[in-house]
């Protein structure tokens, strides 16, 4: 620490390398050079009888968009889905592992696993390997116990059940919007509109988010995938 | 049984060779580089040979009845062209081919490994056709395990019972399934051609033409890509058409042939008359250690 060394000029230097504000988000700073990032805006909102999950579709390496129509909403089980953000490779591998474990569990127990189980399984993998992974995941789905539920699993491996969850680099731009528009006890249509609107706003301001919006509505009787092309966004240039 | 003998030699052999990558030489190479920089201050760049990379433009697209893969043919070692006509479209299965960008050795060996794994799978499961998604999953599992140290960026394409498919696979192990994709240093140039020209349900002629134009864009606008265009068409009916050197915009052989060299270089035998000939058997002796003086190298 420089202030201990009297011979150096008395400029208070902050601790080296801590909290360098170089304008990059936490996610882009920790990527290895050349690694693909799902820059991303992801979101999930539970409603009366299910959950709506939504994501943008941009995958970038640095400033080049490697895939402008990727699918960041992945199915873990019949009624359990997750949204991926962070390193594309890490999240794809994580999703594959959890899918494998869940299908084994379903066979062994003879019934569909709960969203809580899936989320905690994901959290185990994220937490135990936190040094080698860069993954922020939102797990959401429908099960007969909790009905619709959403679990947010950010970078370090915390797992929290939330009334609604947003994640990814683009989420920082829409905290205010979602906080003000979210109401308890929303219906399916309202929740879907909120997801689409919020992700559009994030895509308009975040360079790492863009492309199309992909949503999945998960209910007891089925899953409905929807896709909104870039020129039909509710908000944008 | 080596625990029972205290033989030093057997103990040395008992210690297993570590498997996987060895990074031991990183220190040594860094020191050599420093030493050469110190001795020869003129920037000759380090004399350490650089890994041959395929600078590269590789592309793949899906058309109505199959997929078309394309690649350039330049392999670089640093800023020097190591191979003017290398093959970047690798065979994986009779219905699956893979273009590779990145370190040439990595792409070559990775595709060979997965090709033999697919072969074994076909042998072990009644010889049904390999699926493109199988190849993709095998490749991504291996690349993720190596955490990006295997520098292989691949465009995988093929036809199976589920239809024509094109995948892009990145060195860290992430994949994307797309109707058209480009990779390598020339990918931006090629993608601009694809984004303007690709349409759904193209004919084979249109697809091949678009692929050729995309690779040519990479060849002319990217320094890491050059030489010829290779095209590979994989059709849903099971046929494959591989054309090495489909377009050769940089072929200089006609220019070379047009050079008029002196007739003195092409003399037939008998032009010079022989006055006398003598035959002496050669004495086989070779060099013995006594003839050689060994001097120690000084640094």
């Amino acid at each position: 620490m420089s202030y201990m060394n009297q011979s150096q000029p008395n400029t208070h230097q902050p601790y080296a390398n801590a909290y360098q504000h170089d304008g990059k988000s936490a996610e882009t700073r920790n990527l290895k050079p050349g690694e693909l990032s799902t820059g991303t805006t992801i979101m999930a909102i539970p409603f009366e009888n299910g959950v709506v999950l939504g994501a943008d579709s941009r995958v970038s390496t640095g400033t080049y968009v490697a895939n402008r129509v990727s699918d960041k909403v992945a199915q873990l089980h019949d009624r359990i889905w997750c949204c991926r953000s962070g390193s594309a490779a890490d999240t794809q591998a994580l999703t594959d592992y959890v899918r494998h474990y869940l299908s084994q569990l379903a066979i062994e127990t003879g019934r569909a696993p709960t969203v809580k189980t899936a989320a905690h399984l994901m959290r185990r993998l994220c937490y135990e390997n936190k040094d080698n992974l860069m993954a922020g995941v939102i797990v959401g789905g429908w099960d007969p116990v909790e009905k619709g539920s959403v679990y947010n699993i950010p970078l370090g491996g915390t797992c929290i059940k939330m009334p609604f969850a947003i994640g990814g680099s683009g989420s920082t731009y829409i905290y205010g919007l979602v906080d003000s528009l979210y109401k308890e006890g929303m219906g399916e249509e309202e929740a879907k509109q909120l997801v689409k609107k919020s992700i559009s706003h994030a895509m308009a301001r975040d360079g790492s988010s863009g492309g199309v919006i992909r949503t999945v509505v998960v209910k007891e009787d089925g899953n409905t995938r929807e896709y909104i092309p870039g020129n039909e966004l509710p908000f944008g240039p | 049984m080596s625990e029972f003998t205290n033989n030093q030699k057997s103990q040395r052999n008992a210690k297993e060779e570590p498997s996987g990558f060895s990074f031991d030489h990183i220190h040594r190479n860094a020191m050599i580089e420093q030493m050469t920089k110190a001795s020869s201050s003129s920037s000759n760049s380090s004399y350490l040979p650089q890994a041959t990379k395929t600078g590269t433009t590789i592309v793949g697209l899906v058309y109505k009845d199959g997929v078309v893969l394309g690649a350039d043919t330049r392999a670089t070692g640093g800023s020097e062209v190591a191979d003017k006509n290398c093959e970047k479209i690798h065979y994986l299965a009779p219905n699956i081919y893979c273009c590779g960008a990145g370190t040439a050795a990595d792409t070559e060996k990775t595709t060979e490994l997965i090709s033999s794994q697919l072969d074994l799978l076909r042998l072990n499961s009644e010889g049904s056709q390999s699926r493109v998604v199988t190849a993709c999953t095998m490749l991504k599992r291996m690349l993720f395990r190596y955490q990006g140290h295997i520098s292989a960026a691949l465009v995988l394409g093929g036809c199976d019972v589920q239809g024509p498919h094109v995948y892009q696979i990145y060195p860290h192990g992430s994949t994307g399934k797309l109707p058209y994709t480009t990779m390598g240093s020339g990918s931006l140039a090629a993608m601009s051609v694809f984004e303007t020209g690709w349409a759904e349900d193209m004919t084979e002629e249109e697809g091949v033409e678009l692929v050729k134009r995309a690779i040519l864009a990479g060849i002319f606008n990217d320094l890491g890509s050059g030489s010829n265009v290779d095209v590979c068409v994989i059709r849903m009916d099971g046929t494959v058409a591989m054309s090495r050197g489909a377009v050769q915009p940089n072929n200089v052989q006609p220019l070379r042939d047009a050079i008029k060299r002196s007739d003195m270089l092409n003399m037939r035998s008998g032009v010079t008359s022989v006055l006398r000939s003598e035959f002496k058997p050669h004495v086989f002796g070779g060099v013995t250690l006594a003839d050689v003086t060994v001097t120690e190298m000084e640094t």
Side-chain angles (χ1 to χ4, degrees), chain A residues 122-159:
Chain A
M122 180 70 85
R123 186 259 307 167
R124 276 290 293 279
L125 289 170
C126 290
Y127 180 75
E128 317 260 308
N129 297 295
K130 61 159 74 181
D131 296 334
N132 303 318
L133 286 175
M134 233 259 304
V137 169
I138 298 179
V139 178
W142 186 93
D143 62 51
V145 180
E146 296 278 337
K147 307 287 182 272
S149 50
V150 159
Y151 291 80
N152 197 356
I153 305 165
L155 249 44
T158 334
C159 178

Side-chain angles (χ1 to χ4, degrees), chain A residues 11-29:
Chain A
T11 47
H12 175 58
Q13 301 253 322
Y15 302 123
N17 297 326
Y19 306 118
Q20 280 173 328
H21 283 283
D22 49 8
K24 296 187 207 155
S25 73
E27 288 170 338
T28 45
R29 209 180 297 134

Side-chain angles (χ1 to χ4, degrees), chain B residues 118 138 163 208 268:
Chain B
L118 286 172
M138 287 178 173
V208 169
R268 59 174 173 80

Side-chain angles (χ1 to χ4, degrees), chain A residues 60-226:
Chain A
S60 45
T61 33
T63 52
Y64 181 64
V65 176
N67 188 349
R68 58 181 170 86
V69 285
S70 73
D71 185 9
K72 302 184 192 176
V73 188
Q75 187 168 24
L76 296 178
H77 201 72
D78 290 343
R79 296 288 178 272
I80 308 175
W81 293 69
C82 81
C83 302
R84 313 181 282 115
S85 79
S87 153
D90 290 349
T91 52
Q92 282 182 4
L94 274 173
T95 307
D96 287 346
Y97 269 111
V98 174
R99 200 181 282 135
H100 169 74
Y101 288 140
L102 281 182
S103 66
Q104 256 186 348
L105 190 66
I107 292 172
E108 285 169 14
T109 56
R111 58 166 183 259
T114 57
V115 182
K116 189 181 203 175
T117 312
H120 281 253
L121 211 47
M122 180 70 85
R123 186 259 307 167
R124 276 290 293 279
L125 289 170
C126 290
Y127 180 75
E128 317 260 308
N129 297 295
K130 61 159 74 181
D131 296 334
N132 303 318
L133 286 175
M134 233 259 304
V137 169
I138 298 179
V139 178
W142 186 93
D143 62 51
V145 180
E146 296 278 337
K147 307 287 182 272
S149 50
V150 159
Y151 291 80
N152 197 356
I153 305 165
L155 249 44
T158 334
C159 178
I160 352 169
K161 184 173 195 297
M162 303 185 74
F164 66 89
I166 56 178
S169 58
S171 64
T172 52
Y173 302 99
I174 51 170
Y175 273 107
L177 181 72
V178 182
D179 279 344
S180 63
L181 290 178
Y182 174 77
K183 298 189 304 280
E184 285 224 21
M186 278 195 288
E188 177 185 335
E189 205 43 50
E190 271 187 282
K192 242 191 350 189
Q193 290 312 319
L194 180 57
V195 165
K196 290 177 187 173
K197 184 174 186 176
S198 318
I199 297 185
S200 306
H201 277 266
M203 280 158 69
R205 285 293 179 182
D206 178 31
S208 312
S209 303
V212 307
I213 301 183
R214 295 194 193 274
T215 57
V216 177
V217 179
V218 186
K219 290 197 291 209
E220 179 178 7
D221 49 6
N223 309 310
T224 324
R225 265 193 178 276
E226 237 182 81

